[in-house]
Amino acid sequence: MFDLFVQFVRDTFNDSDGFIPLHEPRFTGNEKKYVNDAIDSTFVSSVGQYVDRFEEQIRTYTGSSYAIATVNGTAALHMALILAGVQRDDLVITQPLSFVATSNAIAYTGATPCFVDVDLDTLSLSPEKLAAFLDAHTEIRDGHCYHLASGKRISACVPMHTFGHPARIDAIVRICAAHQITVVEDAAESLGSTYQGQQTGTFGLLGTYSFNGNKTITCGGGGMIVTNDEQLGRLGKHLTTQAKVPHPWEFNHDQTGYNYRLPNLNAAMACAQMEQLDGFIANKQQLAGLYEAFFQTTPYQFVQQPANSQSNFWLNAILLSNRQERDAFLAYTNRNGIMTRPAWTLLPSLPMLSHCPHDDLTHAQYIEDRLVNIPSSVRLT
């Protein structure tokens, strides 16, 4: 069966004998034109027309009131947590199945991640598990939620839309609101995905995206914060620009700032990629349909988009029967020139996070043992 999959991928990507990556970027639009224009303008750093244009494109696309371009997605999430009021020694709830950047951004604030299990259908934070954890292990005092065992304040919750599949984010926001917890969406992988017709990243107080080289659209790096809160939108731009007070020549800074703004060169590429985003997503959804049809005749389960959702299918994935079969599949495909990858190691298993509080993680462990990501690039026609 493994050999049939390898042949199917080669046929699907029209590549008979080459190496097929997991997800490679496509530069088929105005990328070179815009980058050259940025070079000619001499505005190549964090000030320039393409930074402004990129932020406007994201505002329009997501329906957000404010968009703040950052140097990468991790910086975006770190800043969003600061804007959300996360402080040193707080707890921040997130999911164990995520890229390490999620927990790193939490750690940058001096807070500690607290892990709650995921759902098997969304691969993202489970509303039911979240509600059960909060009911059993927290209390509300003075308008804040406190973790009973540690006495720490739970200041935020960071659900991550895994592989581009939307979490049941409306329920998560509702549960967190009832417990006085701010929601910051890690939508790094899910630009263009919708839940009940609304863009992921726009349900919480703040949301963040990534434009790393392996994302649906890329500018080499890059991130974005979105919010509908005017005060936070303005403060986010101020803090990411070294908290510099505007003045024709003086260097006045009114608080600790961050060198987090996106360079104009990267933004130029991002603007060209945004012009192609809807086409890229349609292409990837078509690929997902081909995979779904193929895997219907196999023992393996193709990960479909959750109910009430439209996924960008950033990374397609399958579930095998156990960890041994997963590892055999990974070894065979990579040996035969098809790049596949397992899900991330669960975050609480990493040495620097082993001390963090967590609830039962049965679903996350099930997924880690079985899931494999398969080639998901936009196909050239």
Side-chain angles (χ1 to χ4, degrees):
M1 181 59 65
F2 293 178
D3 58 335
L4 294 179
F5 170 76
V6 167
Q7 188 58 53
F8 175 78
V9 172
R10 294 204 173 281
D11 292 343
T12 300
F13 283 90
N14 195 27
D15 189 328
S16 60
D17 57 7
F19 174 75
I20 299 178
L22 188 65
H23 196 288
E24 63 181 340
R26 298 295 185 217
F27 304 121
T28 55
N30 290 313
E31 289 87 357
K32 291 183 180 180
K33 176 183 176 182
Y34 292 171
V35 170
N36 284 334
D37 182 57
I39 292 171
D40 291 341
S41 77
T42 74
F43 288 95
V44 297
S45 192
S46 57
V47 175
Q49 65 168 339
Y50 286 107
V51 179
D52 297 336
R53 185 192 298 186
F54 185 31
E55 290 174 333
E56 176 60 29
Q57 285 175 314
I58 292 293
R59 282 195 296 271
T60 300
Y61 192 86
T62 64
S64 300
S65 299
Y66 295 89
I68 303 124
T70 63
V71 69
N72 56 53
T74 309
L77 184 55
H78 178 209
M79 180 52 58
L81 291 167
I82 292 172
L83 295 172
V86 175
Q87 298 178 7
R88 181 169 296 279
D89 297 325
D90 284 351
L91 289 182
V92 174
I93 294 175
T94 191
Q95 59 200 59
L97 183 70
S98 185
F99 183 54
V100 71
T102 304
S103 59
N104 282 344
I106 295 169
Y108 297 163
T109 68
T112 299
C114 176
F115 299 104
V116 173
D117 206 5
V118 300
D119 279 330
L120 292 177
D121 59 340
T122 67
L123 311 179
S124 300
L125 184 67
S126 167
E128 289 78 15
K129 297 288 187 75
L130 175 63
F133 175 82
L134 292 173
D135 290 344
H137 299 291
T138 71
E139 66 177 5
I140 305 296
R141 298 197 314 267
D142 303 322
H144 298 286
C145 183
Y146 288 90
H147 184 236
L148 293 172
S150 66
K152 294 185 175 184
R153 181 180 71 135
I154 301 177
S155 55
C157 175
V158 182
M160 197 276 286
H161 301 284
T162 307
F163 307 134
H165 299 304
R168 299 214 304 281
I169 188 63
D170 60 337
I172 292 170
V173 169
R174 186 168 58 250
I175 292 163
C176 287
H179 289 83
Q180 306 298 314
I181 297 171
T182 299
V183 174
V184 177
E185 288 178 74
D186 185 347
E189 302 169 359
S190 63
L191 180 66
S193 297
T194 60
Y195 180 75
Q196 295 182 345
Q198 182 175 335
Q199 291 284 329
T200 57
T202 67
F203 287 81
L205 179 64
L206 302 121
T208 64
Y209 304 103
S210 170
F211 307 101
N212 188 40
N214 66 350
K215 295 301 189 290
T216 302
I217 63 168
T218 182
C219 54
M224 190 73 71
I225 305 165
V226 294
T227 184
N228 289 323
D229 186 291
E230 179 180 1
Q231 181 180 1
L232 295 183
R234 295 184 184 281
L235 181 60
K237 187 167 184 178
H238 181 60
L239 291 180
T240 56
T241 317
Q242 298 285 24
K244 186 178 186 298
V245 179
H247 190 277
W249 61 82
E250 290 184 354
F251 292 95
N252 294 321
H253 306 263
D254 57 5
Q255 53 190 301
T256 300
Y258 299 81
N259 187 19
Y260 277 0
R261 288 289 282 169
L262 180 70
N264 198 44
L265 276 179
N266 298 85
M269 182 183 293
C271 289
Q273 290 271 285
M274 278 297 295
E275 293 170 353
Q276 303 166 83
L277 175 58
D278 286 341
F280 285 173
I281 292 175
N283 186 299
K284 290 167 73 63
Q285 289 172 338
Q286 183 185 51
L287 174 63
L290 296 174
Y291 275 137
E292 182 180 1
F294 173 81
F295 283 109
Q296 284 178 349
T297 62
T298 75
Y300 314 125
Q301 177 186 345
F302 177 72
V303 177
Q304 302 182 30
Q305 64 190 10
N308 303 313
S309 299
Q310 189 73 39
S311 177
N312 68 3
F313 284 100
W314 172 54
L315 287 184
N316 290 289
I318 59 171
L319 294 169
L320 291 96
S321 59
N322 53 49
R323 197 178 189 99
Q324 292 72 30
E325 189 174 40
R326 183 205 76 167
D327 290 347
F329 182 88
L330 287 165
Y332 184 89
T333 51
N334 282 279
R335 188 168 60 245
N336 284 276
I338 307 297
M339 186 176 179
T340 57
R341 288 293 182 267
W344 311 283
T345 300
L346 297 187
L347 294 177
S349 301
L350 300 177
M352 70 283 193
L353 299 171
S354 60
H355 68 287
C356 297
H358 63 80
D359 205 11
D360 174 73
L361 305 179
T362 300
H363 288 171
Q365 188 62 64
Y366 180 94
I367 293 165
E368 184 193 17
D369 287 342
R370 293 165 175 79
L371 187 139
V372 174
N373 290 123
I374 55 180
S376 302
S377 304
V378 170
R379 293 176 302 134
L380 297 174
T381 56

